Amino acid sequence: MVTIQGEKNPFIRNVFTLNSCAPIVATDVLEYYDEGNMLQAWCDFVVEADPDVIIGYNIANFDLPYLIDRATHLKVTRFPYFGRMKGTKVEVRDTRFSSKAYGTRENKATNIDGRIQFDMLQVMQRDHRLRSYTLNSVCAHFLGEQKEDVHHSIITDLHNGNPETRRRLAIYCLKDAYLPQRLMDKLMCLINYLEMARVTGVPFSYLLSRGQQIKVISQLYRKAIEQDFVIPARKNVEGMDEPFEGATVIDPEKGFYNVPITTLDFSSLYPSIMMAHNLCYTTLVDQREIENLNLKNDSDYIVTPYQSARFVKAEVRKGLLPSILEDLLSARKKAKADLKKETDPFKRAVLDGRQLALKISANSVYGFTGASAGQMPCLEISASVTAYGRQMIEQTKREVESRFTMENGYKHDAQVIYGDTDSVMVKFGVDNLVDAMKLGQEAAEYVTGKFLRPIKLEFEKVYFPYLLINKKRYAGLYWTNSEKWDKLDTKGIETVRRDNCLLVQNVIETCLRKVLIDRDVSGAVAYAKKIISDLLQNKIDMSQLVITKALSKSDYSAKQPHVELAERMRKRDPGSAPTLGDRVAYVIIKGTKGAAAYEKSEDPIYVLENNIPIDTSYYLENQLSKPLLRIFEPILGDKAESLLSGDHTRVVQHTTPTIGGLMKFAVIVPTCLGCKVPLTKNADTVVCRHCKPKLGELYQKQLSTVNEFETRFARLWTQCQRCQGSLHQDVLCSSRDCPIWYMRKKAQKDVQDASAVLEKFNYEW
DNA sequence: GTTTCGACCTAG
DNA sequence: TCAGCTAGGTCGAAAC
């Protein structure tokens, strides 16, 4: 039902994992035959166990509100009092959180005073960019194990079944509670969040319910009070919402470089600019103040490149922001030093995450000053920072290109081929790593000398070879020492984007590895051709073709595949349809000729259940071809075109639908049976407005298809989804010939895993 | 048929 | 008192 675990941290008494399915099952185990009694017993148990922290997966938006609702419905009036404040009722309220970084999301918030809630789903969504955030896929990603999802619609059946089905349900519930805890332990989420709360001085709950601003504000308050500053309650400045110019991205010299490309980076560029020039609210001065205080240019204050904004020097008054930044960066330095010493790969990942978090926190100080919708926007600071940054990257380019020349005794003229914000990629013209690194070191030191402390240009890595596709898009083999490369680094291209299908990601990744690591261009071409051929012959697993996109708005102006699908799913089953902020998974199915993509998107599970054919040519033309051409064109030139034509594209296998009526229905839905006009808005009417006057026979036909479909769909839970053989247990097929018989194996393993869990906690059933 | 623009996601 | 920033590529629907 619940798992309780003591934490190493002496301040946390225990951590409590919640899964609201559990009480339902517990009716058997605990002999509370009345659900109301059971809920009350659960509440009493929580009070007795007195947890400091309650964790779970999606507890904030599902389990807690569900329990409260259920108790209200059953009139268990004493239930909502499991917080630590006696007499304070636990209540659920709706909130809406909207941020550019985290997206817009409708949330429920439950107050359980005195107990921390830590929803691992929210943690995962904030800290990790994943394609899917189901417990299943997150665990597969981080723990290498998964549970089969139990569709909510069969939970009641499992419960009302027999001891065996209830046992199965109980195991699911236990795993549901156990996996979030494993996840939390392995990623050290709780510890990292506690540290973040300590560093920034915000209440723990803010870390999951609020954004970056509150953290900066909080640090600002801390520093301000030390120096007897009072922060104005709210600055109501008009015209603060005008945009300001950001960073420079140097025009790339696109192409494939089979020579070492040296990368030079400013470390923490924006924070170091703010520190170097003492930029802060407390150091900004205007003409009147300069006159009143008799300040002198250069010796007392500096003029920045943004509209001649003026700031006093640190000797006159040290700014609050620069000292906050110093704290954050020294903490990061320590994390990085620890990282160097640590050998355990997982702790390394954690330390790496921590230093990244501190870096993000430091960077968001600049973002905070530029947040026009925020509490203390100050364009003088943010725009000065970016203006300095632009000057610096330009100057760096000039310095490198003017010093490393044949005229100055070097073997070649250096050329900056690309740069973004705080980095420059330099082609020194040498053909080996040792020289490229030596020159990089020399250049970094040379350029650093041209700037104020603590601004520092660092040599970190060499790319060799390097494929520069466009601004913010490149790939290269990453070297930090000349003996062995570190990794294949890709930026911006399909391998790191989540809005492509896995097929594209894998093909591009493999081709890049073949080209950049194995130096086998013809092998890469052959591989790409093979995949294209497989795709057109339907040999690619559907899981490779699933595309996911975030549903980020509630009102869209243009039609899109994932938005239309979410709407259709809501009509089928409002309970399991994606909601605002969720990622919608879809595949593109065959439809009428010329139909738009948004008419051909479909839920992968639905497609699997109904054996709907996939539009493979869409995947070739709209998903694979352009990314492939982009990486092969710089290498092969015009010959790259041959990838997309030739014998391998000729063999096209047309799958014939195996379940006629079903198939027809599924494919026909998006268009009118009468005139083939796509049905856009009222797809549930099945016939378009144009045809409506003469429904008659056509409508009847459609209705019977609908009926047939619904009957068969309802039976799917007792039939195998592929071969229609009868299922003796849940979704396990009885026929070994069935193409999805492996599901049985998976499920068996699942039971074994869960049994091990049971044993560990000495549960008896 | 071409251009514009909204949406998504990423780089830094 | 909800909400870090700008630059930029790419895709596909809508507008022309």
Side-chain angles (χ1 to χ4, degrees):
Chain A
M1 174 175 171
V2 287
T3 52
I4 301 169
Q5 188 198 25
E7 263 283 336
K8 279 175 198 145
N9 190 318
F11 298 104
I12 302 169
R13 213 174 318 159
N14 53 53
V15 179
F16 189 102
T17 312
L18 171 66
N19 173 329
S20 67
C21 237
I24 303 171
V25 180
T27 46
D28 275 10
V29 184
L30 301 178
E31 294 182 8
Y32 289 107
Y33 290 107
D34 175 82
E35 194 191 340
N37 283 345
M38 185 200 60
L39 282 174
Q40 188 54 54
W42 184 87
C43 165
D44 295 342
F45 175 67
V46 174
V47 172
E48 194 192 329
D50 197 25
D52 292 303
V53 184
I54 298 177
I55 74 157
Y57 207 77
N58 201 19
I59 51 169
N61 284 318
F62 178 71
D63 300 69
L64 286 169
Y66 179 77
L67 286 174
I68 300 291
D69 276 0
R70 206 66 202 137
T72 311
H73 178 73
L74 295 167
K75 302 197 171 55
V76 188
T77 50
R78 278 172 50 231
F79 180 80
Y81 294 93
F82 51 88
R84 275 178 173 154
M85 291 284 279
K86 294 236 157 52
T88 302
K89 194 174 177 185
V90 175
E91 283 175 305
V92 182
R93 70 194 150 76
D94 287 318
T95 57
R96 191 190 172 96
F97 181 86
S98 171
S99 126
K100 280 207 181 97
Y102 301 128
T104 304
R105 211 170 260 289
E106 269 155 354
N107 281 323
K108 294 189 193 315
T110 312
N111 63 305
I112 309 175
D113 294 335
R115 310 193 198 283
I116 285 176
Q117 294 169 52
F118 199 52
D119 189 336
M120 285 304 294
L121 171 63
Q122 295 180 335
V123 174
M124 290 298 129
Q125 285 172 334
R126 285 200 174 217
D127 294 356
H128 302 278
R129 284 202 321 249
L130 302 174
R131 284 169 177 265
S132 162
Y133 291 96
T134 60
L135 181 58
N136 209 5
S137 71
V138 170
C139 287
H141 189 259
F142 289 108
L143 302 176
E145 63 178 272
Q146 46 186 309
K147 55 144 205 161
E148 287 303 324
D149 279 319
V150 171
H151 195 259
H152 68 85
S153 64
I154 65 163
I155 283 178
T156 313
D157 287 344
L158 287 179
H159 177 245
N160 293 337
N162 53 46
E164 193 50 42
T165 60
R166 275 192 290 278
R167 184 174 189 277
R168 181 98 193 273
L169 179 58
I171 288 167
Y172 274 122
C173 292
L174 202 63
K175 262 206 134 175
D176 236 27
Y178 181 60
L179 287 177
Q181 201 173 54
R182 291 258 324 267
L183 210 53
M184 183 185 78
D185 289 346
K186 197 155 188 187
L187 299 176
M188 297 190 187
C189 302
L190 189 57
I191 293 159
N192 282 354
Y193 269 64
L194 283 171
E195 266 177 36
M196 181 59 88
R198 246 198 313 260
V199 168
T200 57
V202 298
F204 188 91
S205 64
Y206 282 16
L207 298 179
L208 283 177
S209 65
R210 312 263 314 250
Q212 291 287 347
Q213 288 205 37
I214 192 72
K215 292 196 238 173
V216 181
I217 279 264
S218 169
Q219 293 172 80
L220 204 49
Y221 271 120
R222 246 192 207 166
K223 271 279 181 288
I225 204 153
E226 280 172 16
Q227 298 182 27
D228 281 342
F229 279 114
V230 174
I231 295 176
R234 180 144 182 90
K235 216 173 177 181
N236 222 348
V237 189
E238 292 287 322
M240 227 19 187
D241 48 357
E242 39 188 272
F244 63 94
E245 193 179 342
T248 299
V249 183
I250 296 173
D251 262 341
E253 294 291 333
K254 301 176 205 173
F256 177 68
Y257 293 87
N258 207 355
V259 289
I261 300 296
T262 307
T263 307
L264 306 172
D265 282 85
F266 285 105
S267 57
S268 303
L269 177 69
Y270 287 176
S272 65
I273 288 176
M274 293 173 86
M275 291 188 277
H277 301 288
N278 200 35
L279 307 183
C280 183
Y281 302 94
T282 58
T283 57
L284 176 64
V285 284
D286 59 22
Q287 192 56 43
R288 196 170 47 86
E289 285 162 326
I290 286 168
E291 282 163 17
N292 287 352
L293 299 169
N294 196 23
L295 298 170
K296 295 191 176 53
N297 194 356
D298 282 346
S299 62
D300 291 331
Y301 68 89
I302 50 134
V303 182
T304 77
Y306 170 72
Q307 294 186 1
S308 311
R310 280 151 296 187
F311 294 87
V312 295
K313 290 194 157 186
E315 299 84 60
V316 180
R317 170 182 285 157
K318 174 133 191 195
L320 301 177
L321 296 181
S323 42
I324 290 173
L325 290 169
E326 277 163 22
D327 293 351
L328 287 172
L329 292 182
S330 64
R332 181 175 181 226
K333 222 178 209 168
K334 186 178 176 304
K336 274 188 139 175
D338 292 347
L339 179 67
K340 266 206 177 122
K341 280 181 279 175
E342 186 60 63
T343 50
D344 177 19
F346 225 90
K347 286 184 181 162
R348 282 180 61 88
V350 169
L351 285 168
D352 196 45
R354 181 181 306 165
Q355 65 89 10
L356 203 68
L358 285 162
K359 181 183 174 179
I360 291 168
S361 282
N363 275 339
S364 54
V365 170
Y366 143 76
F368 174 82
T369 64
S372 54
Q375 318 199 13
M376 287 172 72
C378 182
L379 251 61
E380 285 85 351
I381 298 176
S382 49
S384 296
V385 169
T386 56
Y388 273 122
R390 289 193 298 277
Q391 287 188 350
M392 286 165 63
I393 195 170
E394 290 294 341
Q395 189 183 340
T396 303
K397 182 176 184 312
R398 275 200 312 274
E399 300 280 3
V400 170
E401 286 184 341
S402 61
R403 177 172 171 106
F404 294 86
T405 58
M406 292 199 276
E407 219 169 281
N408 289 344
Y410 293 91
K411 280 189 186 144
H412 309 86
D413 285 339
Q415 184 196 3
V416 171
I417 57 164
Y418 179 58
D420 185 346
T421 312
D422 60 355
S423 67
V424 285
M425 316 293 192
V426 191
K427 186 175 86 173
F428 282 111
V430 294
D431 60 0
N432 66 85
L433 285 160
V434 177
D435 287 347
M437 289 179 173
K438 220 167 64 201
L439 286 168
Q441 202 68 52
E442 188 186 334
E445 278 162 28
Y446 171 73
V447 176
T448 299
K450 306 271 175 183
F451 293 105
L452 286 173
R453 225 191 52 82
I455 292 168
K456 193 174 171 209
L457 187 69
E458 287 178 333
F459 161 73
E460 213 179 299
K461 57 189 179 275
V462 169
Y463 286 115
F464 177 41
Y466 184 60
L467 178 62
L468 181 52
I469 294 169
N470 214 334
K471 282 183 176 177
K472 299 189 189 282
R473 287 185 179 229
Y474 58 84
L477 207 53
Y478 185 112
W479 302 72
T480 50
N481 68 74
S482 54
E483 301 301 314
K484 173 87 182 87
W485 49 270
D486 297 74
K487 59 179 175 185
L488 175 67
D489 200 23
T490 58
K491 290 289 161 73
I493 53 188
E494 284 71 20
T495 54
V496 295
R497 291 182 68 89
R498 295 178 295 173
D499 52 356
N500 291 280
C501 62
L502 273 177
L503 176 71
V504 175
Q505 179 175 340
N506 291 339
V507 171
I508 299 293
E509 168 104 27
T510 307
C511 287
L512 284 175
R513 297 194 90 85
K514 283 185 190 293
V515 171
L516 299 176
I517 300 176
D518 307 339
R519 310 292 189 109
D520 179 11
V521 177
S522 57
V525 171
Y527 174 78
K529 284 186 172 175
K530 173 82 171 68
I531 293 289
I532 291 173
S533 159
D534 283 354
L535 173 67
L536 293 178
Q537 292 176 64
N538 267 314
K539 288 184 187 164
I540 302 286
D541 192 275
M542 201 192 74
S543 64
Q544 294 278 303
L545 302 178
V546 176
I547 302 165
T548 67
K549 271 186 188 169
L551 193 62
S552 61
K553 299 170 77 178
S554 48
D555 193 25
Y556 284 88
S557 62
K559 291 191 168 65
Q560 290 186 86
H562 66 296
V563 181
E564 296 294 304
L565 174 62
E567 183 58 35
R568 263 179 276 141
M569 288 172 74
R570 195 152 38 245
K571 280 178 182 160
R572 281 178 209 156
D573 178 10
S576 65
T579 59
L580 189 60
D582 286 349
R583 294 189 70 78
V584 184
Y586 63 91
V587 289
I588 298 295
I589 57 172
K590 284 212 170 83
T592 46
K593 220 176 177 163
Y598 64 82
E599 296 170 297
K600 300 194 290 180
S601 58
E602 191 46 271
D603 175 12
I605 294 172
Y606 188 90
V607 167
L608 213 56
E609 280 171 351
N610 298 299
N611 237 345
I612 298 168
I614 301 283
D615 187 349
T616 49
S617 64
Y618 172 88
Y619 283 91
L620 176 57
E621 283 157 23
N622 298 57
Q623 290 271 312
L624 260 183
S625 71
K626 283 190 177 170
L628 272 177
L629 283 182
R630 274 196 293 269
I631 63 164
F632 278 113
E633 220 149 38
I635 303 164
L636 298 173
D638 295 339
K639 277 183 279 177
E641 291 284 347
S642 70
L643 266 175
L644 301 172
S645 55
D647 290 345
H648 62 291
T649 60
R650 302 247 162 78
V651 194
V652 180
Q653 194 171 29
H654 296 284
T655 46
T656 43
T658 47
I659 339 171
L662 222 52
M663 190 64 48
K664 209 165 147 199
F665 175 76
V667 180
I668 285 168
V669 163
T671 55
C672 172
L673 266 188
C675 64
K676 307 288 179 206
V677 162
L679 296 172
T680 49
K681 279 265 160 57
N682 305 312
D684 52 342
T685 60
V686 194
V687 182
C688 74
R689 254 177 274 126
H690 178 223
C691 282
K692 231 170 195 169
K694 35 177 183 158
L695 288 177
E697 207 183 326
L698 204 56
Y699 186 58
Q700 283 303 322
K701 208 168 154 194
Q702 281 283 7
L703 265 188
S704 67
T705 320
V706 171
N707 287 338
E708 190 203 348
F709 170 74
E710 276 176 356
T711 322
R712 296 194 70 161
F713 182 68
R715 286 204 337 257
L716 277 177
W717 289 112
T718 54
Q719 280 187 320
C720 171
Q721 295 156 12
R722 284 270 176 90
C723 72
Q724 308 301 309
S726 59
L727 302 173
H728 62 85
Q729 223 185 51
D730 307 334
V731 287
L732 305 187
C733 181
S734 57
S735 156
R736 279 188 67 95
D737 300 331
C738 171
I740 54 165
W741 73 279
Y742 70 91
M743 277 185 74
R744 167 203 288 266
K745 274 193 151 176
K746 233 175 178 176
Q748 276 170 352
K749 186 176 178 301
D750 186 31
V751 170
Q752 280 166 11
D753 287 353
S755 301
V757 176
L758 290 175
E759 255 165 51
K760 186 173 173 187
F761 288 94
N762 285 324
Y763 276 86
E764 285 178 14
W765 299 86

